[in-house]
Amino acid sequence: MICIDLEASGLARESYPIEIAWKCTETGAFDSFLINPESVPDWQYWDEFAEELHGIEPELLQQEGISAEQACIRLNRALKGREVISDALEYDGFWLRRLFNACDIQPGFHLVGLEAVLSAEERIQYQFIARSQFRRHRALQDVEDLILAIAAARSGVVS
């Protein structure tokens, strides 16, 4: 199972991805990186409330972020042909489309929601577990939490 999470510049239609992380539970392989929005001219939108949630400042993206094109290539190399699970399919799907469309590259993997790995009852348990997590949102930590919450929901253990 491979899980993914994205952090973004905000929740508006003009928002774009700024951080992506994924992890494979079978191998332990993972990746996490920031994206420099300066690599895409029309990525100007910034929501200060979103910044408060993830704690990523624009200056950090400029200093440590990779280009949008590098992000697409890196994701496609690592996830080629795989099914990748998101617990926020609508949002993560939107931001991945924004990323790949900005570079005119097709994603080489398929994004799916929790229904791919959890029954309806398990998804309810997952939602309960996920709501109990109060912390700063960063993509890699969110992926780790997603994997743990899926495992807990599958086992019927709700903490």
Side-chain angles (χ1 to χ4, degrees):
M1 174 175 73
I2 299 175
C3 293
I4 195 167
D5 187 74
L6 287 84
E7 299 302 330
S9 66
L11 296 177
R13 274 188 13 200
E14 301 83 16
S15 66
Y16 46 85
I18 61 169
E19 183 180 42
I20 301 177
W22 61 266
K23 184 171 184 177
C24 177
T25 59
E26 292 94 19
T27 65
F30 70 94
D31 194 9
S32 178
F33 53 86
L34 298 170
I35 301 170
N36 184 347
E38 291 181 343
S39 66
V40 180
D42 67 339
W43 284 8
Q44 302 291 320
Y45 175 83
W46 191 258
D47 183 336
E48 290 180 9
F49 177 71
E51 181 181 335
E52 285 184 34
L53 290 176
H54 51 60
I56 301 170
E57 297 177 350
E59 297 78 21
L60 181 64
L61 298 173
Q62 294 163 0
Q63 294 167 2
E64 298 182 21
I66 64 175
S67 73
E69 183 176 10
Q70 289 171 313
C72 292
I73 292 168
R74 196 159 158 172
L75 287 168
N76 276 345
R77 280 190 184 139
L79 306 175
K80 184 177 182 176
R82 300 294 303 263
E83 190 171 82
V84 180
I85 299 157
S86 166
D87 68 344
L89 184 59
E90 186 176 328
Y91 285 107
D92 290 344
F94 171 77
W95 291 316
L96 282 171
R97 283 189 301 277
R98 291 268 295 160
L99 173 65
F100 281 87
N101 287 343
C103 302
D104 200 26
I105 296 175
Q106 291 296 314
F109 56 94
H110 181 63
L111 190 67
V112 297
L114 289 173
E115 68 280 353
V117 293
L118 296 176
S119 68
E121 182 179 311
E122 290 169 337
R123 288 194 303 275
I124 292 169
Q125 291 175 335
Y126 172 86
Q127 292 300 324
F128 179 78
I129 295 164
R131 282 192 193 109
S132 68
Q133 299 168 340
F134 297 105
R135 62 185 157 59
R136 183 171 302 282
H137 287 273
R138 288 299 300 264
L140 187 56
Q141 184 61 55
D142 285 356
V143 166
E144 296 284 351
D145 291 344
L146 170 58
I147 290 167
L148 292 173
I150 288 172
R154 283 179 165 171
S155 69
V157 175
V158 178
S159 52

